[in-house]
Amino acid sequence: MNDIIELKTWQGDTVAFEDAVIGSGAMKDVCFSPDRSYVIGFFRDPQGAAARERLRVICEDYREGIFGQVGGDYWRELFCWPTGVVEHEGRVGVVAPAYAPQFFFEYGSANNDMLGIKGREKEGKWFASANNQARFLDPRERGDWLNYLRICMRIARAVRRMHAAGLAHSDLSYKNVLVDPRSGSACIIDLDGLVVPGKYPPEVVGTPDFIAPEVVMTAHLPHDSPARKLPCIATDRHALAVLIYMYLLYRHPLRGGKVHDPDPSQDETLSMGERALFVEHAHDFSNRIRVADARPSELPWCDTQRMPYTLTGPYLAPLFARAFTDGLRDPRARPSAEDWEFALVRTADLILPCANRGCVQGWFVFDNRRAPSCPFCGTPYPGALPVLNFYSSRHGDSFRPDDQRLMVYTNQSLFEWHVNRHLAPNERLTEAQKVRVGYFVFHQGTWWLVNERLPHCRDLSAGRDIAVGERVALRDGLQLLLSRESGGRLALVQMAGGG
């Protein structure tokens, strides 16, 4: 049995830990609490006055600002936020919740768990490349494309909340985000080094693959040089774009075939810094990934002709283009976390299940420009599918397009945020607003919307109300008024596919 040591946090709470190190990172040694509900990470190096004050405000002021507000409980699943600070035998320690069970590998890696990952944390690096997934992961751990979309949505939402509080992570990467593709869950970790611009500077420059080009370009300058660029909200935005690209396309957006210098170290600095170039740049093809040199485990994802970033749909593709063209040189041009969240939510409404039950990805985005066909396995979707194009009125005026659509498939749900443009599926929703208001079903050759909770649903084409409990057949050109409230929407049905 390990000794149990009790301590008082700076915040006045009693905590305890087992006197045995269960893991070590770059800066801390970690011990479990007796009931395994939380951990304490002890810094190996002494923490100065500024570092101590940073830890205090993260555990008190900023924690209260995020978790102490209405809807604060929502963030407990998305952040592993420190709850207190302790000192023991001259070392400062940070108390934080233990990771949720879904963030540990249930199954070992390939070849009888040759990597010994069973029971270990699900660092995002295992899932962010086609090579790692194909060579090392049990297929039961990989998840499907819809869940990667959900993972990206949750990461973007969490980063948006951090940035709204004036905080930057400074080391946003697949090492500091735990993911579970089986459930679509994500959790940002290592939050004890958060950056407050102008007050608490960054302690690290970041993780290779995710460091913004301006940081790489100026890393050789003295730390206090005014010309040196340090991690901040703008560099988080670069890292977030890289994360989303890698989780949806399983390759890095800047690591192509172009060689800038025969010295590997100098080539790395140039390709990630001064000469960074998007592997799918619209006009400069010099950094395309060389498919002929790829490992079999990297295919087909490294083939940007077969798997272009545009397969992510009409909302995400323009953000990738912004982030990795203008945004590489001009941090102000980078999409914000809110931009990504907005695009991911709308992309989720365009998702379709692949008709091929053997498709590894299982889902794909319908982009409204072609007949539905899975880009991952090439299977076309049989038959016609309804698309609801949403319109809403402004100040009593005529209905205007909202640039939002909902792809219909069997058992697809209709929610309040589809019915009213003032709502979004985020932490602000009440429990009542999370309940679906209708669903879609294909029955005897006809697509139907079943009204479950829409008191004012009306078929404008036929001039009749659709009462709660009734259904309405979906046909091309059908106009459905979903709500008469402020922000209420009109849905215009368009039939896609079917030959």
Side-chain angles (χ1 to χ4, degrees):
M1 282 290 289
N2 299 313
D3 291 338
I4 306 297
I5 299 172
E6 283 195 358
L7 299 170
K8 279 280 190 182
T9 68
W10 293 356
Q11 292 69 35
D13 300 317
T14 299
V15 295
F17 69 95
E18 295 182 354
D19 193 15
V21 174
I22 60 164
S24 296
M27 301 170 66
K28 297 189 293 289
D29 299 316
V30 180
C31 301
F32 257 135
S33 66
D35 65 357
R36 303 295 198 267
S37 66
Y38 59 88
V39 299
I40 302 180
F42 288 99
F43 289 94
R44 286 193 287 274
D45 295 333
Q47 300 297 294
R52 288 166 174 257
E53 178 62 10
R54 183 208 304 264
L55 292 174
R56 186 194 66 77
V57 297
I58 288 172
C59 294
E60 296 176 14
D61 302 6
Y62 287 108
R63 177 178 172 79
E64 175 62 24
I66 289 178
F67 296 95
Q69 309 300 315
V70 175
D73 286 346
Y74 179 88
W75 302 111
R76 298 186 191 280
E77 293 183 3
L78 300 187
F79 293 116
C80 188
W81 202 281
T83 59
V85 189
V86 298
E87 287 190 69
H88 177 65
E89 295 182 345
R91 298 175 72 187
V92 173
V94 177
V95 184
Y99 303 146
Q102 69 264 28
F103 295 122
F104 294 90
F105 281 105
E106 181 178 350
Y107 304 99
S109 57
N111 300 321
N112 297 315
D113 197 16
M114 58 179 286
L115 298 177
I117 65 173
K118 185 175 181 178
R120 286 172 54 187
E121 301 94 342
K122 291 182 180 178
E123 277 189 10
K125 68 178 182 181
W126 296 111
F127 307 96
S129 81
N131 181 59
N132 281 354
Q133 286 207 27
R135 294 180 62 200
F136 303 133
L137 294 187
D138 187 293
R140 292 169 291 185
E141 295 283 12
R142 295 180 196 170
D144 57 35
W145 206 76
L146 174 58
N147 277 344
Y148 284 100
L149 198 68
R150 289 171 173 155
I151 284 169
C152 293
M153 199 182 305
R154 290 183 168 107
I155 296 171
R157 189 167 290 147
V159 173
R160 182 256 294 167
R161 185 64 186 90
M162 270 195 311
H163 290 178
L167 298 167
H169 189 284
S170 80
D171 192 13
L172 192 63
S173 72
Y174 48 42
K175 288 187 67 64
N176 290 324
V177 179
L178 301 179
V179 301
D180 176 33
R182 299 170 67 191
S183 66
S185 303
C187 182
I188 298 182
I189 63 174
D190 282 355
L191 294 163
D192 48 64
L194 291 172
V195 173
V196 183
K199 191 173 184 180
Y200 301 115
E203 296 179 334
V204 295
V205 296
T207 298
D209 276 346
F210 300 92
I211 304 172
E214 65 270 20
V215 175
V216 176
M217 289 167 59
T218 60
H220 65 285
L221 298 175
H223 196 276
D224 58 354
S225 169
R228 182 167 178 178
K229 304 299 182 183
L230 297 173
C232 59
I233 287 175
T235 63
D236 273 1
R237 288 175 176 173
H238 172 77
L240 176 61
V242 174
L243 269 176
I244 293 172
Y245 186 91
M246 293 187 76
Y247 282 136
L248 296 182
L249 296 163
Y250 312 134
R251 59 180 181 252
H252 193 279
L254 305 180
R255 294 196 178 278
K258 190 169 187 175
V259 177
H260 301 278
D261 194 282
D263 178 350
S265 176
Q266 184 63 17
D267 182 61
E268 172 75 4
T269 299
L270 291 172
S271 62
M272 292 294 112
E274 179 184 352
R275 300 181 191 172
L277 179 64
F278 187 26
V279 296
E280 298 186 78
H281 194 284
H283 309 296
D284 188 337
F285 306 143
S286 61
N287 197 34
R288 289 290 192 266
I289 300 171
R290 294 174 182 168
V291 179
D293 297 338
R295 302 171 180 171
S297 55
E298 295 172 318
L299 294 169
W301 296 98
C302 69
D303 186 345
T304 55
Q305 274 197 302
R306 182 175 170 187
M307 296 289 181
Y309 74 96
T310 51
L311 68 79
T312 60
Y315 300 113
L316 290 172
L319 295 190
F320 285 131
R322 271 176 56 195
F324 301 130
T325 52
D326 293 344
L328 289 181
R329 304 288 176 263
D330 182 3
R332 297 168 299 179
R334 291 170 189 160
S336 67
E338 187 174 23
D339 291 336
W340 286 109
E341 181 186 3
F342 180 86
L344 287 158
V345 166
R346 295 208 163 177
T347 299
D349 282 342
L350 291 182
I351 204 87
L352 269 178
C354 182
N356 173 15
R357 294 191 176 184
C359 179
V360 174
Q361 298 306 318
W363 300 79
F364 65 96
V365 178
F366 171 67
D367 66 7
N368 212 32
R369 292 180 297 179
R370 53 178 170 75
S373 180
C374 177
F376 306 121
C377 69
T379 304
Y381 205 99
L385 287 167
V387 185
L388 270 60
N389 296 277
F390 292 123
Y391 297 74
S392 61
S393 62
R394 310 289 198 275
H395 310 295
D397 295 341
S398 58
F399 285 90
R400 301 177 185 179
D402 284 335
D403 189 29
Q404 184 172 352
R405 298 182 291 278
L406 179 66
M407 197 74 213
V408 171
Y409 52 86
T410 295
N411 294 326
Q412 167 73 296
S413 295
L414 189 71
F415 289 98
E416 288 277 5
W417 58 84
H418 298 128
V419 172
N420 193 305
R421 68 180 177 87
H422 294 319
L423 296 178
N426 56 31
E427 75 279 5
R428 300 180 187 91
L429 288 178
T430 65
E431 290 304 312
Q433 290 169 336
K434 297 176 184 178
V435 178
R436 76 180 187 184
V437 296
Y439 67 93
F440 302 90
V441 64
F442 188 67
H443 180 64
Q444 295 182 348
T446 301
W447 284 100
W448 301 89
L449 167 62
V450 180
N451 180 7
E452 292 181 295
R453 299 172 185 271
L454 296 173
H456 304 299
C457 185
R458 184 172 176 80
D459 179 348
L460 296 182
S461 303
R464 72 180 186 91
D465 292 332
I466 312 299
V468 173
E470 291 187 352
R471 63 182 183 174
V472 57
L474 303 182
R475 60 188 183 279
D476 197 58
L478 172 68
Q479 295 182 37
L480 278 176
L481 182 65
L482 301 175
S483 171
R484 296 173 187 165
E485 297 177 350
S486 173
R489 283 198 166 116
L490 168 75
L492 176 63
V493 177
Q494 165 195 351
M495 301 304 291

